[in-house]
Amino acid sequence: MEELVTHLSAAAVWLRQLAVAAERPAVPVELEQVCDELSGQASRISGLAETLAEVDNIITEERPLARTFGGTEPWGFAAYGADTDKTRYGKRLSTVLTHHQVAALARPDTPWRADQAEPGIPYLEGLDGLPELDRWESKRADKRRAAEREKRIREQTRAEPCTTCGAEPGRECQTRTGRLAEMPHQARRQAAVATIDGTAEPAAASA
């Protein structure tokens, strides 16, 4: 996370420099709105870098976190496999936390610190025991890969001939009445999916 903070801070500096440079472009064009947008983006990125830097300190310094949210909901390994039917808490419990959750659980003014009813726990210790933790990645990774796959399928669909309406590669599918179809025919898309996923049968060799 430290490296991410460094790059975010550098990006904020770069955006501020661009904003200043845009105040006097080579060709006289008023770019005040662009300058303000660049400065605003720089401030947001800088704030994010500061937040992540604090979270990184919380984790690396092994600062104690409250063991539960609101004194009831566990997190980390303690939440793994707990209340799977969502009858007790009414929602899916957090195992790996967001940076906002880490910061919130480490706040110095949280009630558990005052009464010391239960000692806090460092973040990584709270995660210890979760299966395949060394292979964990953000949910965003799955969404990104799915979106990238769908884009490749759409592109490949246009590259496939349509066995339903006879559309050639690069041409849109047509309806039975000769109009352009809003969506490609299912057989054409399935052929594209097979190509992208590597399950398409190889073409027969010509004699």
Side-chain angles (χ1 to χ4, degrees):
M1 192 180 301
E2 182 180 8
E3 184 177 359
L4 176 59
V5 170
T6 300
H7 286 295
L8 286 172
S9 299
V13 171
W14 179 61
L15 287 172
R16 290 192 181 98
Q17 292 173 340
L18 286 177
V20 172
E23 293 174 356
R24 192 172 183 179
V27 178
V29 178
E30 181 54 74
L31 300 176
E32 180 180 8
Q33 184 176 358
V34 174
C35 295
D36 290 343
E37 179 64 25
L38 290 171
S39 295
Q41 292 284 1
S43 296
R44 286 187 286 274
I45 291 176
S46 180
L48 178 59
E50 292 176 2
T51 299
L52 292 182
E54 176 60 17
V55 171
D56 186 50
N57 289 335
I58 291 171
I59 295 173
T60 57
E61 295 172 6
E62 298 186 347
R63 299 182 196 174
L65 275 62
R67 292 175 178 266
T68 59
F69 291 100
T72 57
E73 297 177 16
W75 59 270
F77 181 69
Y80 179 70
D83 195 29
T84 54
D85 55 2
K86 302 179 183 179
T87 56
R88 181 176 180 183
Y89 300 103
K91 63 179 181 179
R92 181 179 179 182
L93 297 176
S94 300
T95 49
V96 174
L97 302 183
T98 68
H99 64 288
H100 290 301
Q101 289 174 322
V102 172
L105 292 176
R107 284 175 49 192
D109 60 341
T110 47
W112 69 270
R113 289 180 180 274
D115 56 30
Q116 293 295 316
E118 187 175 20
I121 184 172
Y123 179 62
L124 295 181
E125 185 177 334
L127 299 183
D128 190 35
L130 286 174
E132 299 185 343
L133 194 59
D134 57 333
R135 299 174 58 187
W136 182 89
E137 62 181 7
S138 170
K139 290 181 290 186
R140 183 184 184 279
D142 279 338
K143 296 177 182 178
R144 173 182 53 78
R145 283 192 290 267
E148 291 172 350
R149 176 176 178 271
E150 181 59 30
K151 180 181 178 181
R152 292 196 301 271
I153 289 174
R154 289 197 302 268
E155 293 172 348
Q156 183 62 36
T157 298
R158 285 185 57 84
E160 298 279 348
C162 182
T163 58
T164 300
C165 67
E168 297 179 354
R171 305 296 293 271
E172 302 293 340
C173 285
Q174 294 184 343
T175 65
R176 292 181 178 179
T177 59
R179 295 183 179 180
L180 291 180
E182 294 184 4
M183 300 290 292
H185 287 104
Q186 190 63 27
R188 191 180 192 184
R189 177 179 168 84
Q190 288 176 347
V193 170
T195 299
I196 294 299
D197 292 345
T199 59
E201 295 183 2
S206 57

